[in-house]
Amino acid sequence: MKNAIAIRHVAFEDAGTLEPVLKHRGVALRYLEAGVDDLSPAKYTDLLVVLGGPIGIYEIDRYPFIKDELAIIEAAVKKGVPVIGICLGCQALAAVLAARVYPGKQKELGWDEMMLTAEGKSSPLGAIAGVRVLNWHGDTFDLPIGATRLASTATTPNQAFTYGPKVLALQFHVELPQRDMEKWLIGHTLELANSKVDLGKLRAETARYAPGANAASQRLFKDWLDGAAD
């Protein structure tokens, strides 16, 4: 891998802890802004990263660019290009693999420990065993046919999956650096207020859990990229 493209939906939800992992491997990362930029360069990348955002991947009538984005992701999967999808990106991968994406029974917003499946424990996600990671989503999805479930929570059965060695889908956020949480608290202020989230508690939990999650995320990404490159 020499080049990576990340499709970004809001400026403050970037590749985070994945960036230094790519830099260490000599992989140049370029961002394309969904709904603004021409996404066609993503057809020629060595690694595609699809990041999170506060919209639903099923809202094509409201956000027509989603149709083109899904086509880009589907083409990458069919070509065998390594793809990492996070949150909205995870849901996009589920959608292109013909699974249903829909509002969950309740929003998950906070630091939680994943319940790893046997496959998850033996995968790169083993790095987050016993580590709390950040949930920040209202939508969920059915597990695509042919995919392997890696992680769950009591609220959301499908928190992570792989689809062969080249696709990694993470519903939760391991990529958010501790230093950037305040950007999210500002950018998602309406959602946080509507959900009656205690910002003081969320800040305190971030200070407690983010360092471990940040370190584990880099191990996770490194191990997965090693496997995807083989």
Side-chain angles (χ1 to χ4, degrees):
M1 296 180 191
K2 294 298 181 184
N3 299 286
I5 283 181
I7 298 176
R8 181 165 55 185
H9 301 89
V10 287
F12 55 86
E13 292 200 33
D14 57 27
T17 60
L18 175 58
E19 288 200 42
V21 176
L22 294 176
K23 184 177 181 180
H24 182 74
R25 299 171 73 95
V27 179
L29 177 63
R30 173 186 176 187
Y31 287 97
L32 296 177
E33 307 299 337
V36 178
D37 291 338
D38 173 14
L39 299 183
S40 61
K43 296 177 182 178
Y44 311 106
T45 187
D46 299 323
L47 169 68
L48 179 61
V49 182
V50 188
L51 297 167
I55 62 176
I57 204 66
Y58 45 78
E59 295 185 288
I60 295 177
D61 289 345
R62 300 185 67 198
Y63 301 99
F65 71 83
I66 292 175
K67 183 177 180 181
D68 292 336
E69 182 175 342
L70 290 174
I72 290 286
I73 298 167
E74 184 174 18
V77 172
K78 287 182 176 178
K79 285 174 61 179
V81 174
V83 183
I84 299 173
I86 298 173
C87 199
L88 181 63
C90 170
Q91 296 156 16
L93 280 166
V96 304
L97 294 171
R100 187 170 64 107
V101 182
Y102 49 94
K105 58 184 179 182
Q106 69 182 67
K107 188 184 294 292
E108 283 188 297
L109 208 168
W111 291 89
D112 301 291
E113 187 174 332
M114 293 294 121
M115 296 183 291
L116 299 181
T117 64
E119 295 84 356
K121 291 175 183 177
S122 62
S123 78
L125 263 70
I128 65 165
V131 176
R132 291 204 179 200
V133 296
L134 182 65
N135 264 318
W136 199 310
H137 65 96
D139 287 343
T140 189
F141 55 88
D142 295 334
L143 187 70
I145 294 173
T148 301
R149 181 187 290 111
L150 301 180
S152 303
T153 57
T155 300
T156 305
N158 299 314
Q159 281 277 5
F161 68 86
T162 52
Y163 185 78
K166 303 288 188 180
V167 172
L168 176 65
L170 306 174
Q171 175 65 78
F172 49 89
H173 293 276
V174 293
E175 84 290 358
L176 173 61
Q178 179 182 357
R179 67 177 184 274
D180 287 349
M181 173 57 90
E182 206 65 27
K183 296 179 183 179
W184 287 43
L185 300 187
I186 297 168
H188 290 304
T189 180
L190 183 59
E191 179 184 18
L192 291 163
N194 288 341
S195 300
K196 296 180 171 58
V197 173
D198 182 335
L199 298 191
K201 179 182 177 182
L202 185 54
R203 287 188 179 101
E205 291 185 344
T206 299
R208 180 177 180 182
Y209 299 121
N214 289 175
S217 71
Q218 294 197 38
R219 294 196 301 274
L220 188 165
F221 289 134
K222 178 184 179 298
D223 290 347
W224 185 83
L225 288 166
D226 286 345
D230 289 341

